[in-house]
Amino acid sequence: MSDTTTSPRGGTAAAPLFEAEGLCVTFPGRGRGPGRATTVDALRGVDLAWAEGEVLGLVGASGSGKSTLGRTLMGLQQPSSGAVRFRGEALTGPRDRAFRRRVQMVFQDPYQSLNPRRTVGAQVLEGLDVHGIGAPGQERTALAVAAMERCGLAPVERYWHRYPHQLSGGQRQRVVIAAAVALGPQALICDEPVSALDVSIRSQVLGLLAELRREEGIGLLFITHDVGLAWALCDRVAVLHHGELVECGGVEEVLGSPRHAYTRELLAAVPAPHG
Ligand SMILES: Nc1ncnc2c1ncn2[C@@H]1O[C@H](COP(=O)(O)OP(=O)(O)OP(=O)(O)O)[C@@H](O)[C@H]1O
Ligand SMILES: [Mg+2]
């Protein structure tokens, strides 16, 4: 067991769960005139370490490369150059099943992860089936039920037979998180997980994520354009600007006394969190 739960805000007590080294992602872009090919450098040599059990915020304006970085760690996007390591091992190409059990992705729009034609219960069970977790039947169902309860979908009977369109946005996001949690993940890559939710629901879902970290030791990469949310939830924060990592460190250090002009600009739009 690691002792990451005791790592202080801004500390780096544990060995990195993920490391990005010199990570570059270039997309083909559209030229301005006929035959003019351009490219978009979505990530430009990003070096970043994310410790086990840590809540690492990834902030930056729209188009700064946040989602691209999350997708590249997840293996949904191939880097043009540079390396991604998971627990010290270099990852290339599509991720294997063991990785997909350990690291799950939560998107802004839960519909992106949910099948509109399958019930909630069936979808939480599906991952357990795929990964062969628990004996088929009662034991597997009990694991799915426990994950749903853990994620605030209780009483479970009320939700089990519903379809995604019969739930609120917050409940749908809880189903996505429950399906992930059922597999016993080490880390969740959350890409704007509460941006589509209204404010009261937003804090409940954030509370759930914070609890999962505190009680289950699940690390979070929390991607957000909302610096205030990062301040409230994260241990460390990394600031992306036009695909470059301009600042990274403890949340108080980076957001409390930002060194980079761009970080100050992001903060200018946010009301002070303390007081
Ligand atoms: N599949 C793609 N093809 C071409 N360009 C892309 C692709 N995906 C992203 N980009 C470009 O890469 C850059 C970074 O995009 P990305 O989606 O990572 O930004 P983001 O920080 O997540 O923005 P937002 O806050 O709006 O979600 C942008 O200029 C975007 O247009
Ligand atoms: Mg994005």
Side-chain angles (χ1 to χ4, degrees), residues 260-275:
H260 201 280
Y262 176 68
T263 312
R264 287 196 288 273
E265 234 174 82
L266 284 178
L267 279 160
V270 182
H274 309 302

Side-chain angles (χ1 to χ4, degrees), residues 61-68 108 191-192 223:
S62 182
S64 58
K66 304 181 298 297
S67 296
T68 303
Q108 173 174 347
D191 192 349
E192 307 273 6
I223 298 176

Side-chain angles (χ1 to χ4, degrees), residues 3 30 39-40 72 89 96 99 123 142 155 160-161 171 175 199 227 243 259:
D3 64 349
R30 277 193 297 147
T39 53
V40 177
T72 308
E89 241 176 73
D96 66 12
F99 177 91
Q123 297 195 58
W160 187 270
H161 295 288
Q171 289 164 347
V175 172
V199 178
V227 181
R259 274 176 300 202

Side-chain angles (χ1 to χ4, degrees), residues 16-19 83-92 96 102:
L17 183 68
F18 272 99
E19 286 167 286
V84 174
R85 282 191 291 274
F86 180 66
R87 315 190 81 175
E89 241 176 73
L91 296 175
T92 49
D96 66 12
R102 284 179 166 163

